[in-house]
Amino acid sequence: KRGNMSARRRKGGQHAAVDDDPLLGTTESGPATPLLAADGEHHDGEPSDISPSLPEMSPPRPLLYRVASSFAIPLTDQTGSPSKIFIGLFCLGIVGSFIGSIMPKDQSLPTPLYRLISSIIGYTYFCAWSISFYPQMILNFKRKSTAGLSNEFSILNVAGFACYATYTLCFYFSPEIQRQYKERNGADAEITVQSNDVAFAVHAFVLCCVQLSQIIWYRGFDANPLAMSVKIGLATLLVVCMVFSALVMEHLSSWLDFLYMLSLVKVIISLVKYIPQVILNYRRQSTLGWNIWNIVLDCTGGTLSIGQQIGDSVDLHDFSGITGNPAKFALGFVSIFFDFIFFLQHYVLYPDDHGDMNSSSGHSGGGGGGEEVDLDLPSEPLLNDELNNEERDLRRKGEISSEEAPTVEEV
């Protein structure tokens, strides 16, 4: 072949042969390999005028982009790997420390240094709990489905945070509630509901409403109607609130007791709202569609919330802040308990074999987490791409011709 190519070069001058040139398919140690011609077909001994495309090395990303990507890990990461979790929580701590440093401090705390520490802890768990709602919403939007997310969990979240938002708003802004609180717990008793508690409660209520609207938009309730027990529970809550309000109007109770009732309702809802999601994961033997960053951030927020409340009480030498604000204290323990259950399901009982623990490739219809939905099935475009790649490989090897190649429709 090398002699023939030299003869052609002398005759026509159209081709140039270079020894050991991979484009010519000639080697000193082995036979010539098929060559790629300009028409896309392989011809033995024919050099190609088109060089094969080599993978281009992507230029290193700017430092600012890499830093921004690190801070956005809780919103963009869907693997839940330990390295990603560590980087994401470290960046979250930086954000919380910055906000806590510039925001007003709680002047009721006697120790100046602890004022700063309490503010940092408070705004860090505010960021953790607030951001924890976004990963699930983003995952729902990407998949155009809420399969894997319990409908009961979402609607109970709305009811619970409606109670908690009312509780924190009244304690923080109402002079009448503050007066009744001091009368009951002593004139020196400090109200431990802070501005970050109010911001978190209102923000969480709004985002829970958005998540519920996603279930409605993606027809999650059509696939899985709301359980009758949840309907009865919500109706009972509405009746209790109306009856309690009537008792307050008749001076048979106080608005402070009404708020304590709402805080108790929030605790009860937090106790039961996770159960439907745990059962759903068990029935599906999977946590696909349930973003693990919800749990990572929720556990972080619960731990810091408990730490701040205990630290504030120790610094004040007054534990009435715990007994007088039972909702905040109990919510932290409740969330941490269920978070460990979800960690066990996600990483131990139902780990994803493909490594993508929260894959958004399952664009299944319906929503609300029906057990019949198989989120591991590849979509049709992925199948077509795999077949087309296989067909191109066979043609390149010369094993099939264009006429013999099966089409995607035939397969």
Side-chain angles (χ1 to χ4, degrees):
K1 290 184 179 179
R2 189 174 299 175
N4 292 338
M5 292 167 60
S6 300
R8 280 203 198 104
R9 185 183 61 221
R10 290 194 298 271
K11 289 181 180 180
Q14 298 178 357
H15 301 284
V18 179
D19 289 345
D20 299 327
D21 190 340
L23 296 181
L24 299 180
T26 60
T27 61
E28 295 181 352
S29 60
T33 56
L35 303 174
L36 180 64
D39 57 359
E41 299 294 337
H42 292 283
H43 303 282
D44 292 342
E46 293 274 343
S48 173
D49 294 335
I50 301 179
S51 300
S53 59
L54 299 177
E56 298 181 358
M57 298 296 294
S58 57
R61 297 185 183 276
L63 178 61
L64 182 61
Y65 177 88
R66 295 199 298 266
V67 172
S69 300
S70 299
F71 280 90
I73 281 178
L75 302 178
T76 58
D77 175 58
Q78 295 182 7
T79 62
S81 63
S83 60
K84 293 287 187 180
I85 290 176
F86 175 79
I87 296 174
L89 294 183
F90 179 77
C91 294
L92 177 68
I94 294 177
V95 174
S97 299
F98 175 76
I99 298 176
S101 300
I102 63 176
M103 293 298 289
K105 312 301 184 293
D106 186 359
Q107 300 300 321
S108 63
L109 297 173
T111 307
L113 177 60
Y114 183 74
R115 294 175 191 169
L116 174 63
I117 296 176
S118 177
S119 179
I120 290 175
I121 293 176
Y123 280 98
T124 300
Y125 89 70
F126 160 72
C127 292
W129 266 348
S130 299
I131 296 174
S132 67
F133 296 93
Y134 287 96
Q136 186 65 50
M137 292 169 51
I138 294 174
L139 184 62
N140 295 341
F141 175 77
K142 287 182 177 180
R143 297 171 60 238
K144 298 296 186 289
S145 170
T146 57
L149 174 64
S150 171
N151 296 340
E152 289 78 13
F153 168 79
S154 299
I155 199 167
L156 288 174
N157 244 356
V158 173
F161 280 110
C163 296
Y164 191 53
T166 304
Y167 173 86
T168 55
L169 284 169
C170 292
F171 261 95
Y172 193 77
F173 290 107
S174 173
E176 177 62 22
I177 297 299
Q178 295 172 2
R179 182 188 64 80
Q180 294 181 15
Y181 178 83
K182 290 182 178 295
E183 287 180 354
R184 182 172 300 184
N185 296 280
D188 297 332
E190 294 290 340
I191 298 176
T192 57
V193 175
Q194 301 179 12
S195 59
N196 56 286
D197 296 320
V198 178
F200 161 72
V202 175
H203 179 257
F205 172 70
V206 173
L207 293 185
C208 287
C209 291
V210 173
Q211 192 173 98
L212 181 62
S213 67
Q214 286 183 319
I215 296 178
I216 298 173
W217 180 259
Y218 297 129
R219 300 185 180 278
F221 289 112
D222 294 345
N224 287 274
L226 202 62
M228 182 58 64
S229 58
V230 176
K231 294 179 181 178
I232 295 175
L234 294 176
T236 303
L237 171 62
L238 183 60
V239 171
V240 169
C241 290
M242 295 174 62
V243 171
F244 216 113
S245 299
L247 293 176
V248 174
M249 294 296 183
E250 296 295 329
H251 302 286
L252 299 176
S253 185
S254 65
W255 286 116
L256 181 63
D257 292 326
F258 178 78
L259 294 180
Y260 281 149
M261 183 271 296
L262 291 182
S263 70
L264 181 61
V265 169
K266 169 59 179 170
V267 172
I268 294 175
I269 290 178
S270 296
L271 280 171
V272 301
K273 73 175 183 179
Y274 293 103
I275 297 176
Q277 187 65 53
V278 172
I279 295 175
L280 178 62
N281 294 343
Y282 170 75
R283 288 177 177 174
R284 298 172 66 241
Q285 297 292 295
S286 173
T287 58
L288 290 175
W290 173 249
N291 198 304
I292 190 59
W293 274 100
N294 292 347
I295 311 306
V296 173
L297 295 171
D298 188 65
C299 184
T300 303
T303 304
L304 294 178
S305 173
I306 294 174
Q308 185 201 43
Q309 197 165 7
I310 294 176
D312 289 358
S313 298
V314 170
D315 193 55
L316 290 168
H317 302 287
D318 178 16
F319 284 88
S320 63
I322 296 177
T323 58
N325 189 5
K328 181 178 178 180
F329 195 68
L331 285 176
F333 284 105
V334 170
S335 63
I336 291 174
F337 172 75
F338 278 99
D339 289 340
F340 277 106
I341 295 179
F342 288 122
F343 282 137
L344 182 65
Q345 287 185 322
H346 185 81
Y347 290 106
V348 180
L349 298 179
Y350 319 125
D352 184 15
D353 295 335
H354 303 290
D356 186 5
M357 298 180 182
N358 287 295
S359 174
S360 60
S361 61
H363 300 277
S364 55
E371 299 90 293
E372 72 281 354
V373 179
D374 186 3
L375 297 178
D376 291 330
L377 291 176
S379 60
E380 185 176 352
L382 179 60
L383 178 62
N384 293 345
D385 290 342
E386 292 174 351
L387 291 175
N388 291 335
N389 291 335
E390 182 179 359
E391 178 185 338
R392 283 193 294 268
D393 291 340
L394 292 175
R395 287 183 179 178
R396 188 174 297 111
K397 296 177 181 178
E399 296 180 6
I400 61 173
S401 62
S402 301
E403 293 78 7
E404 296 172 344
T407 61
V408 174
E409 290 76 7
E410 291 174 347
V411 173

